[in-house]
Amino acid sequence: MSRVWDFFGGFRLTFRHLSRPRVTRGYPEEKRPKQPRQHGRHVLNRYEDGMEKCIGCELCAGVCPAKCIYVRGLDNPPDHPVSPGERYGYVYEINYLRCIHCDLCVEACPTQAITESKLFEFSFTNRADAIYQKSQLLVDDQGFPQRMPWEDWREGEAAMTGGWMRATSPAGDASFEGLVQWSGELGVGVRVPEAGQGDSRDDAATGTKALRVEFAKHFDPDQREDRRGGPKK
Ligand code: SF4
Ligand code: SF4
């Protein structure tokens, strides 16, 4: 008899969760909102006048721990310069078979040329597609990321590229919170800063969704311990 009870007792947890809010999503049809500082596929930015921000200094390539960036700089043609600097990024490649999306390249860049979108759903069927060229990484004439056929872009993933760069500039000094220390971008203008770690962060202004609100119920200690089968307080 006790075996019968043990059998049905095993369903107790299932039935208890039937009336609780569903935490799973129908991925990939339905994606969760992305975090403001999500590290995704890179973009090469341009100034508001259309000039490229990259000056071909190779600092991003030097700092990359995965050695997946290849840059070659070239002197700007005097008659039709590509960037405002002496040089510009003539060749720029990122090998996404190696990239670990650490964003060290973003932090090293002196001109905010390289930043990251929130897209991480992109997969390839050959090596050539995985090595993005400058022509693919450079933002389009409206200032937004170009979209490759194998990339799964959704709403908001092209917004606020480089949230991480804005959050950590410069060196994470709290006294610089809220100060704009970056240049405008083509089609977007000067991006608004994040408001640090406090509750005053403006998700609407930074183009992000309040994911922490959505996750709040999962941070509740009572629910967390219950899901793990541990003692409730
Ligand atoms: S995100 Fe990290 S691993 Fe990827 S290219 Fe930048 S520095 Fe390299
Ligand atoms: S992306 Fe930035 S760090 Fe890399 S070569 Fe261009 S200017 Fe230098």
Side-chain angles (χ1 to χ4, degrees), residues 44 53-60 71 92 108-111 113-114:
L44 280 173
K53 290 191 173 188
C54 179
I55 53 173
C57 68
E58 301 180 27
L59 283 176
C60 52
V71 187
Y92 199 103
C109 181
T111 62
I114 183 85

Side-chain angles (χ1 to χ4, degrees), residues 42 63-66 68-69 94 99-105 116:
H42 297 78
V63 79
C64 176
C68 59
I69 301 181
I94 297 181
C99 177
I100 55 172
H101 295 280
C102 62
D103 256 15
L104 287 177
C105 53
E116 291 197 0

Side-chain angles (χ1 to χ4, degrees), residues 6 28 33 38 46 51 56 69 71 76 79 106 111 130 136 157 172 175 180 199 201 204 216 219:
D6 285 348
Q38 170 93 34
R46 297 161 68 180
M51 290 193 118
I69 301 181
V71 187
N76 264 310
D79 299 336
V106 176
T111 62
Q136 297 168 301
E157 291 173 346
S175 62
V180 171
D199 285 339
R201 198 171 74 199
F219 297 142

Side-chain angles (χ1 to χ4, degrees), residues 70-167:
Y70 178 72
V71 187
R72 280 291 168 266
L74 199 66
D75 286 347
N76 264 310
D79 299 336
H80 47 92
V82 180
S83 81
E86 268 180 37
R87 286 153 48 97
Y88 71 104
Y90 174 63
V91 176
Y92 199 103
E93 294 179 0
I94 297 181
N95 184 343
Y96 281 110
L97 295 174
R98 291 185 175 187
C99 177
I100 55 172
H101 295 280
C102 62
D103 256 15
L104 287 177
C105 53
V106 176
E107 295 203 42
C109 181
T111 62
Q112 305 112 35
I114 183 85
T115 57
E116 291 197 0
S117 70
K118 296 180 177 61
L119 176 82
F120 66 82
E121 285 106 336
F122 53 116
S123 54
F124 331 95
T125 53
N126 63 72
R127 280 181 58 83
D129 286 348
I131 301 171
Y132 277 48
Q133 309 295 314
K134 176 184 167 183
S135 59
Q136 297 168 301
L137 294 165
L138 196 64
V139 292
D140 64 19
D141 290 342
Q142 279 71 50
F144 292 100
Q146 300 183 59
R147 300 182 178 203
M148 303 302 119
W150 53 84
E151 295 176 340
D152 183 14
W153 289 90
R154 304 285 174 88
E155 182 190 351
E157 291 173 346
M160 289 303 287
T161 53
W164 180 245
M165 177 270 295
R166 279 179 290 279

